[in-house]
């Protein structure tokens, strides 16, 4: 495992292009594009103000930079550095900006969610969508990029509109059986749209593409309900995390529960492995360990002592999105230093990871069952079914890892601090040989 030098960044605006070739970072009002392999600067753009949001187009040809305070959006071309586009929303303001799936339209949401403006980079045409609802997740594109589902609020009622992304014409418009719609999300295969209520009521509704209500699910009444909803990559399962410290898994055939994951204060499952981070002072580093076995070059190319604890000291947990169908991850709520890993093939608890500090971020390796985590210190934590390890980031100036993200190849990680970033390169099998 190797680490790059440290580079500057602002507001943790650092993203790898969808094709995996480029790394874009924002430093105040400057946009820097580097080659991922060499980290050499390829392009340097100057924006009109400090960037609030940055996003790649789906084909990696354009970069969107939004400056919300000024109501401005600038679009830069990687192939034609002299070309650029400026979108000014004027006095109506700007609170969100994003690409359409084709990478040739920009969707801007105005202040107070008065409307969504669709700007075409090709024809310079402008379209307006009224009544978008300001909620947890009010807009979602289907995985194939053909359709957009939008939550709307009209006459004190919730609606969903489905648009065709090719020409933005309205395909379906229907009222939902909700009091206060909180979010919409397409299944990965684009066949089902999940709609859920706010936290005041436990209610999930499943709609088909033509607006038919397929099923309604409610686990209980008269108590705080849903915290988060997530589809499995295969579209076969829908996971619902709620305030009763449970995650319920629905199947895609009957829309009934096939499993309920509980998160008690003590664990009696002898098949689950519980890892606990142990601080050793004045030792050189703090590590995660398992039965005092040294797991070094054979797993993550760094040594780490391990200890297993039964039972751990845990409290609440809530569901967070997993990128793999095999495992699903949850992080503690009132005790945010605990991560639960569930095996979705066996529908059972696989591991519990208890850190000494609250978990700031975790993400699955896109290529294998490997989880990366950070807790705001100078450590990178990695878990796989084979074990757990902690690696100290050897950056000068006390680099504190606040967030992280995997490269699409799974060969490297982007580690983000408060004002800096560095890359962590994982050893591959070819390098080991």
């Amino acid at each position: 495992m190797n680490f790059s030098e440290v580079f500057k960044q602002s507001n943790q605006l650092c993203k790898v292009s969808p094709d995996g070739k480029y790394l874009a970072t924002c430093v105040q009002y400057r946009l820097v594009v580097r080659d991922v392999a060499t980290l050499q600067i390829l392009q340097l753009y100057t924006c009109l103000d400090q960037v609030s949001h940055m996003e790649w187009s789906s084909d990696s040809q354009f970069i969107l930079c939004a400056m919300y305070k000024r109501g401005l959006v600038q679009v830069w071309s990687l192939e034609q550095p002299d070309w650029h586009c400026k979108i000014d929303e004027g006095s109506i303001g700007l609170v969100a900006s994003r690409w359409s799936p084709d990478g040739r339209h920009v969707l801007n949401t105005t202040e107070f969610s008065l409307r969504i403006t669709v700007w075409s980079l090709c024809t310079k045409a402008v379209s307006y969508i009224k009544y978008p609802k300001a909620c947890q997740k009010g807009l979602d594109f289907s995985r194939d990029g053909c359709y957009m589902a939008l939550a709307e609020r009209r006459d004190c009622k919730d609606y969903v509109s489905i648009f065709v992304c090719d020409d933005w014409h309205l395909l379906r418009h229907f009222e939902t059986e909700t009091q206060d719609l909180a979010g919409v999300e397409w299944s990965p295969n684009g066949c089902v749209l999940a709609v859920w209520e706010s936290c005041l009521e436990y209610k999930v509704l499943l709609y088909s593409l033509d607006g038919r209500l397929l099923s309604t699910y409610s686990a209980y009444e008269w108590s705080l309900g849903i915290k988060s909803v997530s589809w499995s990559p295969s579209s076969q399962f829908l996971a619902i995390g709620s305030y009763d410290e449970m995650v319920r898994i629905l199947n895609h055939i009957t829309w009934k529960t096939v499993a309920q994951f509980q998160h008690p204060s003590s664990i009696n499952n002898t098949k689950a492995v519980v890892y606990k981070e142990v601080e050793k002072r004045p030792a050189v580093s703090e590590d995660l360990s398992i039965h005092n076995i040294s797991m070094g070059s054979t797993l993550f190319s760094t040594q780490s002592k391990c200890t297993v604890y039964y039972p751990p000291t845990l409290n609440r947990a809530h569901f967070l999105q997993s990128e793999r169908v095999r495992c699903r991850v949850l992080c503690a709520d009132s005790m945010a230093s605990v991560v639960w890993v569930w095996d979705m093939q066996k529908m059972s608890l696989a591991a519990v990871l208890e850190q000494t500090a609250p978990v700031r971020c975790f993400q699955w390796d896109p290529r294998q069952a490997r989880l990366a985590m950070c807790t705001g210190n100078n450590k990178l934590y990695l878990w796989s079914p084979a074990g757990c390890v902690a690696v100290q980031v050897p950056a000068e100036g006390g680099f504190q890892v606040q967030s992280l993200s995997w490269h699409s190849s799974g060969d490297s990680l982007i580690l983000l601090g408060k004002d800096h970033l560095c890359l962590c390169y994982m050893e591959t099998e070819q390098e080991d040989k």
Side-chain angles (χ1 to χ4, degrees):
M1 184 181 296
N2 297 309
F3 294 85
S4 72
E5 61 179 295
V6 173
F7 301 98
K8 289 184 178 181
Q9 55 86 15
S10 300
N11 299 326
Q12 298 193 346
L13 295 177
C14 176
K15 295 184 180 179
V16 177
S17 59
D19 62 10
K21 296 180 180 179
Y22 310 107
L23 176 67
T25 57
C26 289
V27 184
Q28 295 182 347
Y29 57 89
R30 290 188 177 88
L31 172 64
V32 184
V33 180
R34 301 177 185 271
D35 184 292
V36 165
T38 64
L39 294 180
Q40 296 297 313
I41 296 178
L42 301 178
Q43 299 291 346
L44 180 63
Y45 306 97
T46 302
C47 299
L48 296 174
D49 204 341
Q50 184 166 340
V51 180
S52 306
H53 172 73
M54 180 262 291
E55 185 177 329
W56 283 95
S57 63
S58 56
D59 59 359
S60 304
Q61 296 300 312
F62 298 93
I63 306 175
L64 177 155
C65 294
M67 292 142 277
Y68 294 148
K69 291 183 179 179
R70 294 187 57 175
L72 292 175
V73 173
Q74 288 185 276
V75 180
W76 305 95
S77 171
L78 206 60
E79 289 187 345
Q80 304 177 42
D82 295 332
W83 179 95
H84 74 279
C85 167
K86 184 179 78 169
I87 300 172
D88 190 346
E89 291 291 350
S91 60
I92 199 169
L94 179 67
V95 296
S97 183
R98 64 182 298 173
W99 285 106
S100 65
D102 65 359
R104 295 299 180 270
H105 294 82
V106 176
L107 281 71
N108 288 342
T109 304
T110 63
E111 286 188 346
F112 309 109
S113 295
L114 296 178
R115 72 186 186 198
I116 292 178
T117 310
V118 183
W119 302 83
S120 172
L121 298 185
C122 299
T123 65
K124 298 183 181 180
V126 182
S127 303
Y128 299 100
I129 303 175
K130 295 182 179 180
Y131 312 114
K133 183 173 184 179
C135 56
Q136 178 183 353
K137 187 176 183 181
L139 186 154
D140 193 39
F141 291 104
S142 59
R143 187 70 59 89
D144 58 10
C146 293
Y147 305 105
M148 180 185 78
L150 178 68
E152 299 179 357
R153 187 73 174 178
R154 304 184 184 186
D155 302 323
C156 300
K157 295 181 180 179
D158 291 329
Y159 296 86
V160 167
S161 290
I162 298 178
F163 295 87
V164 178
C165 295
D166 286 343
D167 54 8
W168 303 103
H169 77 266
L170 182 64
L171 180 67
R172 290 287 186 273
H173 176 74
F174 54 91
E175 183 180 349
T176 60
E177 298 180 8
T178 55
Q179 297 296 322
D180 185 13
L181 187 154
V184 297
E185 184 171 333
W186 289 103
S187 61
N189 61 13
C191 295
V192 181
L193 180 69
V195 177
W196 61 95
E197 279 275 15
S198 69
C199 63
L200 297 179
E201 181 179 356
Y202 195 120
K203 190 176 185 181
V204 177
L205 305 103
L206 291 312
Y207 290 93
S208 63
L209 182 60
D210 59 3
R212 290 181 295 113
L213 179 61
L214 301 176
S215 184
T216 301
Y217 178 77
S218 178
Y220 53 82
E221 295 180 338
W222 315 116
S223 185
L224 289 177
I226 296 171
K227 296 196 72 173
S228 56
V229 175
S230 180
W231 289 96
S232 69
S234 65
S235 301
Q236 293 179 329
F237 303 108
L238 180 67
I240 307 169
S242 52
Y243 281 85
D244 65 344
E245 305 177 4
M246 292 184 64
V247 173
R248 294 168 175 86
I249 309 296
L250 308 186
N251 72 84
H252 72 299
I253 299 176
T254 64
W255 302 112
K256 304 297 183 182
T257 56
V258 295
Q260 298 187 51
F261 298 154
Q262 299 182 356
H263 306 88
S265 58
S266 62
I267 297 218
N268 299 319
N269 186 350
T270 58
K271 295 182 179 179
V273 183
V274 181
Y275 300 90
K276 183 174 181 179
E277 181 181 6
V278 178
E279 290 185 340
K280 295 184 178 180
R281 296 177 182 176
V284 176
S285 64
E286 60 187 64
D287 300 290
L288 285 174
S289 316
I290 181 172
H291 286 315
N292 294 327
I293 299 175
S294 176
M295 303 186 328
S297 59
T298 59
L299 184 59
F300 296 113
S301 73
T302 185
Q303 291 187 350
S304 178
K305 294 180 181 179
C306 299
T307 307
V308 173
Y309 286 79
Y310 291 100
T313 303
L314 302 178
N315 209 321
R316 306 183 182 185
H318 69 274
F319 176 80
L320 292 180
Q321 168 74 13
S322 163
E323 300 295 335
R324 301 183 60 85
V325 70
R326 184 170 187 267
C327 295
R328 206 166 279 284
V329 173
L330 301 97
C331 189
D333 188 0
S334 61
M335 184 175 287
S337 60
V338 182
V339 173
W340 304 66
V341 182
W342 294 89
D343 191 316
M344 291 300 293
Q345 291 180 341
K346 300 177 180 179
M347 292 291 180
S348 62
L349 184 62
V352 176
L353 318 174
E354 186 177 0
Q355 310 297 123
T356 58
V359 177
R360 297 290 185 90
C361 177
F362 54 75
Q363 193 176 88
W364 284 107
D365 184 329
R367 300 294 182 179
Q368 57 179 293
R370 180 166 55 182
L371 185 69
M373 301 178 293
C374 63
T375 61
N377 58 16
N378 63 345
K379 297 286 194 307
L380 167 65
Y381 302 92
L382 296 167
W383 173 90
S384 80
C388 231
V389 67
V391 183
Q392 184 171 345
V393 180
E396 296 181 359
F399 187 89
Q400 308 293 309
V401 186
Q402 305 293 327
S403 180
L404 54 81
S405 62
W406 285 95
H407 187 276
S408 57
S409 66
D411 294 338
S412 60
L413 273 162
I414 302 173
L415 307 180
L416 297 175
K418 183 180 180 181
D419 300 310
H420 295 84
L421 70 95
C422 74
L423 269 66
C424 171
Y425 300 96
M426 314 298 291
E427 289 189 359
T428 61
E429 295 182 358
Q430 294 180 352
E431 293 175 345
D432 292 340
K433 294 179 181 178

